[in-house]
Amino acid sequence: MFTKAIKSILFFSPVMVCTISFGQIKDKDNAKVVSDSIKLDTIIPVKEKLEFIVEHSSEDEIHNRKKRMTYLLRKAHVVYGDMTIDADYIELNWDTGDVYAEGKRDSIGNIIEKTKFTQGQQEILQDAFKVNFKTKVGIAYNIRMTQDEGIIIADKAKRVNDSVMLLKRADFTTDTYFKEGKDTRPDYFMRASEGKMIDKKGKKTLITGPIQFWVYDVPTPLALPFGYIPAMGEKRAAGILMPRPGERSNLGFFIEDLGFYVPFGDNFDLKLSGDIYTKGSWAARAESTYRKRYKYNGQVSANVENRLTGIKGLTEGNNAFSKQNLFGVMWSHTQDSKANPYLLFNANVNFSSSKYYRESVRNQYINTGQVFTNNVNSSINLTKNFENAPLTAQLSMSHSQNYNTGDINIAFPRLNLNMSRIFPFAKKNTPKEGLLQNLGLTYAMQAGNEVKTNDNDIFTDKMWKEQMRMGANHKIGLQTGITLANYFPLTLSSDYNEVWGDNKLVKNYNSVNNKIEDTYLKGFNAYRTFNFNASVSTNIYGTFINQNKEANILGIQHVITPSIGYSYTPNFQSENWGYYSFYKNMNQEEIWYSQYENMLYGVSIPGLTNSLNFSLSNNLEIKVKDSSDPKGFKKVKIFEYLRLSSAYNFSAEEFKLSPISVNGMTSLFDRKVNVQFAATVNPYKIQRYIDASGQERSEYIDKLGDFKVSNVTLGTGYTFDNSTFGGKTFDAKNYRKRGTVRDENFYYDNDNYAHFAIPWSLTTNISYTYSKGTARKGIGTGSLAMNGKISPTPYWAITANATYDFIDNEITYVRFGFERDLRSFTLSFGWTPMGTYKSYDFFIGIKASILSDLKYNDRSRLNY
């Protein structure tokens, strides 16, 4: 059933505000106006003093001294204070203070041009109106008043005083076509036979009798016995949020979105709402938005749910009873870059229980696709840029969560200090020469607290006492370079790291229970590492020019970029450095371990590295003959890039040569389709054997020779649209006229046939991975994802999304969507016909935000 909720229907301002009576009238030149037969000194003085000067103009005017009246004829214009009256005819009574204005009439007496009354930013149109400045009582006929997103039309409006106005048969609509004068009738309106507008200090409250919903001048059964809309106007108003009733087989009867809305000033609000289900489930939400112009804006929400499914007492089967407590907290904050360019604060927080998106009571995340979310991340950052120093400081918090494993990583306030590269030995305003002047220095410091926990331990004593770590990491980098023989850039670099932590690990073997016991010694601990790197590279160009100008291939260019580097790191795992210790196992063997492996920034201490790194990059391009090109040829890239890399560690005891990494990208169809690929080639032989259980095992042995591909990844995608197959661009200049009122997107030819360029798009993405390792048979995964959209008319949109697993030969996800722009309404329908989250959703509602609760929204899971 439709939600019978109408909020903020009408916005109304007083037809006119007058505080004094007329005493004198002046024209634009502020000269006193009298009839020809009356002298200036014969004007009778008024008894009341005017607060403002009345300015007026018209094509013709008549002043009747006996009746003490002024008549303004044709294009009459009156200005008094912040009020302006424009009409075809205006009467001014000098004594009573009555003002009467009337619109322009045609030859048979019908109003063809309304009067216009303007006060401040409020504009009201009416056929005629009358107001008395002394009593402040006024009457207007056939008024038309625009307020924000809506417009009100009333047969009669009577202004009782400054704060009360009575309305007779008032219609309200948000139809933009009617509001802008493009159409003479609205596509919908809400009609009240009688109403009262109360204005107290700018807050307008509307009270009406029975109010009914009309569509295209046809009354509907949607009606309320009375209407009460509090605190209308520019300022937001507190009020009850109308709930949505319904029923679901797994949850029972329900009431959703029951709540209350409260604004706090102009910059902050709060929305409290909840859902209640007869089978025991419930949900509660708190949402708030805030904004300060030119400063910041943000939104925060917190959700708590108690999800009950199944039948109580059943422990097995599809209807087994389960109870879940779900929560979710979201916060986004954006600072305006102009507010303070040297101090920036931004936040994006998404923290929830692991099953929140997948098992939410209302399942609203199925429609948005968030139900498939596996990982979420959050961050809060306060960044300080120093105007006259190469320093940047950042205070931050972050969070990452894996919904599949339940693992949660939280970084509590973390401080980062970074110094951009400086050249301490370079001369100012002169080119840098030599290794010393090119020597650059960088510094980075990171300090913080971090917790690695899970859903069960989050915010428990175990998390605070056992899983929290703190520490700091200092990094100093040195880099310099020089070009050898004009062709070989040489780069030299060295890094120094110092790690501080709050614990030290001690391992002991307990012979009683035959277990290894870990003991963490609290206190300040530190270790230091450093390394040295050198690299040199160059570019080698190979060019072939075909002398045969009639050949299809006119030339080839091959660019090879070889690079070779050397890396050295001392063996910090050696006993001499004191970073490693040992314990003796049950066989009295020494087992060495890192004493700092549990420190926040001390995950690994490097061993001896004495390696040679090498890579080879390729770029291959050919020039082919093309008669359609003005130049007579075009360039085709065979490889955007093709890179091979590996390393040889002289100090490694075995497997000195690292696997060879291959990655590249190429383009197809005139560079419209990019194909990315990567592979790993392992050069070592594989040894297979039968273990004690009779199972075949395999492992790499330290012998070169096989060079087999261990894994491959491949990905590509393309978007097809109107122009893909040579479609012509729609040109409105080819048509003689354009439609009006919802047909303005159609252009008509000489035979009055409508033409519209139907926009469509189809995006396809293909991904494939293959992993083999030492197994005899590899494992491949591959999928084809397609997203399509077409608009057969300007106001229709049809979408379709599908994912096909071409390895398992099955469709894993399908969703269809239909949207229709109904002028003042939006209609949409979504359908997921298969899969775990089989469901549908239907929505129809008014576009205008002030009537956003006047809607019908149905969502349902189909596999319950």
Side-chain angles (χ1 to χ4, degrees):
M1 59 182 292
F2 279 81
T3 302
K4 297 180 180 179
I6 306 177
K7 76 172 184 180
S8 304
I9 301 178
L10 306 177
F11 288 89
F12 213 104
S13 293
V15 176
M16 51 193 66
V17 178
C18 305
T19 59
I20 59 171
S21 64
F22 273 102
Q24 61 181 0
I25 304 173
K26 292 189 177 183
D27 62 9
K28 289 185 176 179
D29 298 326
N30 292 330
K32 292 183 179 179
V33 178
V34 294
S35 64
D36 294 341
S37 61
I38 300 176
K39 297 183 180 179
L40 184 64
D41 57 359
T42 62
I43 294 180
I44 300 174
V46 296
K47 297 180 180 180
E48 298 182 14
K49 185 179 180 181
L50 288 174
E51 184 178 359
F52 303 103
I53 296 176
V54 179
E55 299 180 1
H56 74 278
S57 66
S58 63
E59 291 186 355
D60 194 5
E61 59 186 52
I62 300 173
H63 305 282
N64 189 320
R65 181 174 177 275
K66 290 183 179 181
K67 293 184 179 181
R68 302 188 60 78
M69 296 284 293
T70 294
Y71 307 93
L72 305 178
L73 309 176
R74 295 180 299 280
K75 296 183 179 179
H77 179 74
V78 173
V79 178
Y80 178 77
D82 64 343
M83 295 185 298
T84 302
I85 300 173
D86 291 283
D88 186 64
Y89 173 77
I90 297 177
E91 291 181 2
L92 306 173
N93 191 306
W94 302 353
D95 295 329
T96 64
D98 289 336
V99 178
Y100 175 78
E102 186 177 276
K104 186 177 181 180
R105 296 180 180 273
D106 59 15
S107 59
I108 59 175
N110 295 323
I111 297 291
I112 59 173
E113 186 177 315
K114 292 180 178 291
T115 67
K116 182 170 70 173
F117 173 82
T118 306
Q119 185 172 24
Q121 296 182 349
Q122 179 65 61
E123 180 180 293
I124 305 174
L125 302 178
Q126 55 268 307
D127 287 357
F129 69 87
K130 182 178 182 180
V131 65
N132 185 280
F133 290 163
K134 293 181 180 180
T135 63
K136 301 179 182 179
V137 175
I139 298 178
Y141 304 91
N142 295 327
I143 71 166
R144 176 187 176 107
M145 182 178 67
T146 301
Q147 184 71 47
D148 294 334
E149 295 179 281
I151 183 170
I152 186 168
I153 308 98
D155 288 353
K156 185 178 181 181
K158 181 178 181 180
R159 185 173 184 273
V160 179
N161 51 45
D162 286 341
S163 58
V164 177
M165 178 180 290
L166 303 179
L167 304 175
K168 191 73 173 179
R169 210 188 78 154
D171 295 343
F172 176 79
T173 183
T174 60
D175 182 0
T176 55
Y177 281 81
F178 179 75
K179 177 182 174 182
E180 296 171 1
K182 296 179 180 179
D183 199 354
T184 57
R185 64 169 189 167
D187 60 349
Y188 88 96
F189 57 85
M190 286 168 289
R191 173 169 292 173
S193 59
E194 294 182 351
K196 177 187 288 187
M197 182 75 72
I198 302 174
D199 188 345
K200 291 185 178 180
K201 296 181 180 180
K203 295 183 178 180
K204 303 177 181 64
T205 300
L206 178 66
I207 303 173
T208 74
I211 189 168
Q212 187 177 20
F213 194 85
W214 291 58
V215 178
Y216 289 110
D217 293 330
V218 177
T220 71
L222 299 176
L224 291 173
F226 65 91
Y228 177 78
I229 300 91
M232 293 190 304
E234 294 183 359
K235 295 184 178 180
R236 298 164 296 174
I240 296 174
L241 302 174
M242 299 302 293
R244 184 175 72 92
E247 183 208 3
R248 293 184 196 151
S249 59
N250 65 318
L251 297 171
F253 294 98
F254 63 78
I255 295 177
E256 292 180 341
D257 292 325
L258 175 64
F260 197 78
Y261 173 83
V262 184
F264 296 93
D266 296 330
N267 303 330
F268 172 68
D269 66 4
L270 177 64
K271 175 183 175 183
L272 301 174
S273 62
D275 309 327
I276 301 175
Y277 303 85
T278 56
K279 291 188 177 181
S281 297
W282 58 266
R285 290 177 295 279
E287 303 174 53
S288 175
T289 57
Y290 57 90
R291 176 186 299 273
K292 190 168 185 179
R293 185 175 296 181
Y294 309 123
K295 294 292 185 180
Y296 55 78
N297 66 83
Q299 185 174 12
V300 60
S301 65
N303 301 343
V304 179
E305 298 183 1
N306 183 49
R307 173 69 186 272
L308 303 180
T309 56
I311 301 174
K312 291 184 177 180
L314 293 182
T315 58
E316 297 180 355
N318 296 331
N319 295 320
F321 178 77
S322 68
K323 178 179 179 180
Q324 300 180 72
N325 294 317
L326 309 174
F327 70 90
V329 178
M330 279 69 74
W331 177 36
S332 63
H333 177 94
T334 303
Q335 177 180 318
D336 194 312
S337 59
K338 298 184 289 296
N340 189 339
Y342 300 105
L343 186 64
L344 304 174
F345 178 75
N346 293 285
N348 186 10
V349 175
N350 188 353
F351 184 72
S352 64
S353 54
S354 60
K355 295 183 179 181
Y356 176 71
Y357 286 109
R358 301 174 184 178
E359 303 295 336
S360 176
V361 175
R362 298 174 61 184
N363 298 292
Q364 65 268 39
Y365 301 109
I366 297 175
N367 305 329
T368 62
Q370 290 175 281
V371 69
F372 299 106
T373 301
N374 295 320
N375 296 279
V376 294
N377 299 278
S378 304
S379 64
I380 303 174
N381 300 300
L382 177 65
T383 305
K384 171 65 176 177
N385 297 313
F386 296 88
E387 185 175 4
N388 299 316
L391 295 174
T392 300
Q394 185 180 76
L395 191 64
S396 64
M397 292 181 63
S398 64
H399 144 264
S400 63
Q401 187 172 358
N402 187 303
Y403 287 148
N404 290 329
T405 63
D407 293 336
I408 301 173
N409 294 337
I410 303 176
F412 289 98
R414 176 187 294 162
L415 175 64
N416 291 291
L417 182 64
N418 293 280
M419 182 185 73
S420 57
R421 182 171 298 172
I422 62 173
F423 298 89
F425 303 106
K427 297 179 180 180
K428 294 183 178 180
N429 302 322
T430 59
K432 294 184 286 292
E433 297 179 354
L435 292 174
L436 188 61
Q437 292 188 17
N438 280 289
L439 180 64
L441 171 67
T442 60
Y443 170 75
M445 187 271 287
Q446 188 177 37
N449 304 278
E450 185 176 297
V451 170
K452 290 186 177 181
T453 185
N454 52 57
D455 276 347
N456 297 324
D457 298 335
I458 187 73
F459 301 131
T460 63
D461 289 342
K462 181 178 180 180
M463 187 194 83
W464 298 113
K465 296 179 179 179
E466 300 179 17
Q467 298 172 339
M468 178 173 284
R469 299 176 299 164
M470 61 181 64
N473 187 17
H474 305 265
K475 294 183 179 181
I476 299 176
L478 297 173
Q479 181 174 322
T480 186
I482 194 173
T483 301
L484 303 176
N486 295 326
Y487 294 105
F488 302 95
L490 172 67
T491 302
L492 305 174
S493 64
S494 179
D495 297 313
Y496 171 82
N497 295 338
E498 182 167 333
V499 179
W500 299 347
D502 64 339
N503 63 73
K504 184 177 181 179
L505 175 62
V506 176
K507 287 179 176 286
N508 291 292
Y509 172 69
N510 190 328
S511 59
V512 177
N513 55 20
N514 192 27
K515 289 185 178 181
I516 307 301
E517 297 179 343
D518 294 344
T519 303
Y520 295 98
L521 303 178
K522 290 294 183 179
F524 177 78
N525 293 276
Y527 71 87
R528 300 152 192 88
T529 64
F530 56 87
N531 59 49
F532 172 78
N533 301 279
S535 64
V536 63
S537 64
T538 190
N539 290 325
I540 302 173
Y541 294 87
T543 303
F544 167 75
I545 300 176
N546 195 341
Q547 300 300 326
N548 183 7
K549 302 301 181 181
E550 300 300 325
N552 290 327
I553 298 178
L554 303 178
I556 302 174
Q557 179 177 277
H558 188 193
V559 181
I560 304 175
T561 305
S563 177
I564 187 169
Y566 175 74
S567 299
Y568 175 77
T569 303
N571 185 14
F572 292 106
Q573 297 179 3
S574 125
E575 183 179 1
N576 298 331
W577 291 93
Y579 301 155
Y580 271 68
S581 185
F582 69 90
Y583 66 90
K584 291 186 178 180
N585 62 12
M586 60 183 300
N587 298 323
Q588 297 301 304
E589 298 173 334
E590 293 184 353
I591 307 299
W592 288 83
Y593 66 92
S594 170
Q595 300 179 84
Y596 305 105
E597 65 182 28
N598 195 55
M599 288 172 58
L600 179 57
Y601 300 105
V603 176
S604 85
I605 296 178
L608 176 63
T609 300
N610 184 19
S611 64
L612 188 68
N613 312 306
F614 47 88
S615 66
L616 188 67
S617 297
N618 296 266
N619 180 286
L620 183 61
E621 184 179 82
I622 64 174
K623 183 189 293 186
V624 298
K625 190 175 181 180
D626 186 2
S627 58
S628 62
D629 193 286
K631 297 179 181 179
F633 66 88
K634 66 178 180 180
K635 295 181 180 180
V636 179
K637 288 190 175 183
I638 304 301
F639 291 112
E640 298 281 347
Y641 65 87
L642 177 63
R643 188 172 184 268
L644 295 84
S645 61
S646 184
Y648 189 88
N649 190 348
F650 296 98
S651 60
E653 295 182 1
E654 59 179 356
F655 301 109
K656 296 180 181 294
L657 180 64
S658 300
I660 302 170
S661 175
V662 182
N663 57 81
M665 185 180 78
T666 187
S667 299
L668 304 174
F669 308 112
D670 290 334
R671 304 184 68 176
K672 294 180 180 179
V673 179
N674 291 329
V675 181
Q676 299 88 25
F677 55 89
T680 301
V681 179
N682 200 303
Y684 296 99
K685 292 185 177 181
I686 298 174
Q687 177 178 283
R688 308 186 190 278
Y689 61 94
I690 305 298
D691 62 10
S693 62
Q695 299 292 325
E696 183 182 78
R697 304 293 181 185
S698 58
E699 61 182 13
Y700 289 109
I701 59 175
D702 192 18
K703 290 184 179 180
L704 299 175
D706 281 357
F707 289 92
K708 291 184 177 180
V709 176
S710 59
N711 61 71
V712 174
T713 62
L714 177 68
T716 186
Y718 186 69
T719 298
F720 301 88
D721 55 26
N722 297 64
S723 61
T724 301
F725 302 104
K728 295 182 179 180
T729 304
F730 184 82
D731 190 357
K733 296 179 180 179
N734 297 329
Y735 303 95
R736 65 183 183 88
K737 66 177 182 179
R738 186 178 182 179
T740 60
V741 187
R742 296 288 285 177
D743 287 338
E744 60 264 37
N745 292 304
F746 291 97
Y747 291 83
Y748 292 82
D749 58 22
N750 294 330
D751 296 323
N752 284 326
Y753 284 100
H755 293 264
F756 170 69
I758 300 176
W760 64 272
S761 64
L762 176 63
T763 299
T764 60
N765 291 285
I766 301 174
S767 62
Y768 175 78
T769 62
Y770 174 82
S771 179
K772 185 176 183 182
T774 60
R776 289 184 180 273
K777 184 178 180 181
I779 299 175
T781 60
S783 64
L784 169 64
M786 295 186 294
N787 302 303
K789 182 177 182 179
I790 185 172
S791 296
T793 75
Y795 306 107
W796 267 109
I798 303 173
T799 60
N801 305 318
T803 303
Y804 171 69
D805 187 331
F806 53 77
I807 299 298
D808 295 334
N809 193 27
E810 64 176 358
I811 299 174
T812 58
Y813 178 72
V814 173
R815 180 172 177 81
F816 299 99
F818 305 88
E819 294 182 9
R820 171 66 174 172
D821 184 336
L822 294 172
R823 187 158 154 173
S824 295
F825 299 84
T826 297
L827 179 147
S828 65
F829 176 75
W831 178 37
T832 304
M834 59 183 298
T836 305
Y837 301 102
K838 185 165 57 174
S839 63
Y840 75 87
D841 57 275
F842 175 81
F843 172 86
I844 184 171
I846 295 178
K847 296 179 185 177
S849 60
I850 59 175
L851 295 179
S852 59
D853 279 346
L854 191 59
K855 62 185 179 181
Y856 175 74
N857 192 1
D858 185 25
R859 296 183 296 267
S860 179
R861 289 277 292 274
L862 299 176
N863 54 349
Y864 285 155

